[in-house]
Amino acid sequence: MKFFKDIISSRSNPTVKWAASLTDKKGRNAENAFIAEGEKLSFEALSCDLPVTHIFIREDRIDDLIPRVMEYDNEGIYENCQVMILSNSAFDKISTEKAPQGIISVIKYLDFFRNMDIIYKEEFFICEGERALALHSLRDPGNLGAVIRSAVAFGVDHIILSADSADLYNPKTVRAAMGTMFKVKISIVSDFASFIRSARENGRRVFAAELCEGARSVLEIGLLSSDIFIIGNEGHGIPREISSVCSGSVYIPISNKAESLNASVAAAVFMWQQNNL
């Protein structure tokens, strides 16, 4: 690691301004990098050997955090990682937290997240035996992060995400996932219907999670570990053109005192049910 002894105090410092630009999607895409803020995320990233390029430490946390960062100094993968000390004011320009923990890492985009356009049967990308979950137009980054966290907890190997969903690298997504997004494959697909057709042609059942005419309870479908559930948009659900190419529609039986479940909660229930086969 490359440790810089001088404290950066100016909020207008070029490096500070560059790091702050990564809180915006345009800035992230321009640099192919994102920020992970806080002790949990930063040290999880280092432990997973992710491509961490910069570590910013708040001046008032030097004594606590520098020794922990130095534990990774002998790792060859981080020989070019830059460790910088920032004044409280300069650090807060980058931070997206109300109560900053004093450490922010910059990480290059992850190569186990991939973008896919049209999917053909012969190029099907879910491996045999992989448990998968699909998310269509999930727009809230906090919900997306929460689903990722639950997916890893319940043994999902692969998440398929429609291209119009929330940005994976949004700080709110990264924070809500609590480091679990560093441990799961995610494919972002432009043609969601082609993914469903390919999955079915390869022997997978794909169910739209929705309460509609003809929908069946998840307790009645003879659930299989290879089944894939699609969780839809928080407000509008799953569009007809998507559910029409699915194997069917399923719902979670709930009390008649409530109309529906939050998207991330519904996803967790489906995954828990599948995890306990």
Side-chain angles (χ1 to χ4, degrees):
M1 289 182 172
K2 297 180 179 179
F3 289 83
F4 292 77
K5 295 182 179 179
D6 293 337
I7 297 174
I8 297 174
S9 58
S10 174
R11 292 168 63 93
S12 299
N13 177 277
T15 302
V16 172
K17 292 173 68 176
W18 168 78
S21 75
L22 301 181
T23 61
D24 179 75
K25 184 174 183 178
K26 183 178 179 180
R28 290 192 293 272
N29 288 343
E31 297 295 331
N32 287 317
F34 68 104
I35 62 171
E37 181 164 3
E39 295 180 50
K40 166 69 176 175
L41 295 179
S42 292
F43 291 113
E44 190 78 45
L46 290 169
S47 297
C48 292
D49 294 338
L50 299 188
V52 179
T53 63
H54 295 72
I55 297 174
F56 301 106
I57 296 177
R58 205 169 187 257
E59 185 179 9
D60 60 358
R61 294 297 312 279
I62 293 175
D63 293 342
D64 298 330
L65 295 174
I66 286 291
R68 295 180 62 189
V69 171
M70 289 184 67
E71 293 177 11
Y72 299 89
D73 190 27
N74 294 324
E75 300 290 335
I77 188 175
Y78 296 124
E79 61 181 351
N80 293 315
C81 177
Q82 299 182 32
V83 182
M84 301 180 177
I85 310 300
L86 274 57
S87 69
N88 294 358
S89 176
F91 186 94
D92 292 349
K93 181 177 177 64
I94 305 171
S95 175
T96 62
E97 298 277 11
K98 293 181 179 179
Q101 295 181 18
I103 183 169
I104 295 173
S105 299
V106 176
I107 308 171
K108 300 297 285 185
Y109 277 4
L110 305 177
D111 59 10
F112 47 88
F113 293 175
R114 56 179 175 170
N115 289 280
M116 305 187 74
D117 293 320
I118 297 175
I119 302 161
Y120 300 98
K121 179 180 178 181
E122 59 271 18
E123 298 174 344
F124 193 55
F125 59 100
I126 300 179
C127 301
E128 185 175 352
E130 262 188 352
R131 282 188 53 200
L133 175 74
L135 307 174
H136 186 271
S137 295
L138 206 64
R139 301 290 178 83
D140 183 272
N143 269 345
L144 177 56
V147 171
I148 294 171
R149 185 178 181 182
S150 296
V152 173
F154 292 127
V156 170
D157 305 296
H158 196 159
I159 296 172
I160 298 88
L161 187 67
S162 68
D164 62 344
S165 294
D167 182 13
L168 279 168
Y169 297 113
N170 184 301
K172 292 181 180 179
T173 306
V174 177
R175 182 165 56 248
M178 287 295 290
T180 55
M181 65 182 287
F182 305 153
K183 302 174 182 179
V184 64
K185 290 199 304 184
I186 299 179
S187 295
I188 304 166
V189 299
S190 298
D191 188 342
F192 207 78
S194 74
F195 143 67
I196 298 170
R197 286 189 288 266
S198 295
R200 295 189 63 188
E201 289 169 3
N202 279 271
R204 298 260 185 163
R205 297 192 302 179
V206 183
F207 292 104
E210 59 183 353
L211 184 58
C212 63
E213 185 176 352
R216 300 168 63 193
S217 165
V218 68
L219 304 176
E220 300 173 349
I221 62 172
L223 186 61
L224 304 172
S225 61
S226 59
D227 291 340
I228 300 172
F229 293 106
I230 299 174
I231 305 298
N233 179 270
E234 295 89 345
H236 304 291
I238 300 172
R240 181 59 187 160
E241 62 267 22
I242 295 300
S243 61
S244 64
V245 295
C246 291
S247 308
S249 297
V250 295
Y251 66 90
I252 298 167
I254 60 174
S255 164
N256 58 13
K257 296 180 181 180
E259 291 185 3
S260 62
L261 296 170
N262 171 276
S264 63
V265 173
V269 172
F270 281 118
M271 290 185 286
W272 180 88
Q273 191 74 28
Q274 199 171 33
N275 194 51
N276 285 278
L277 291 176

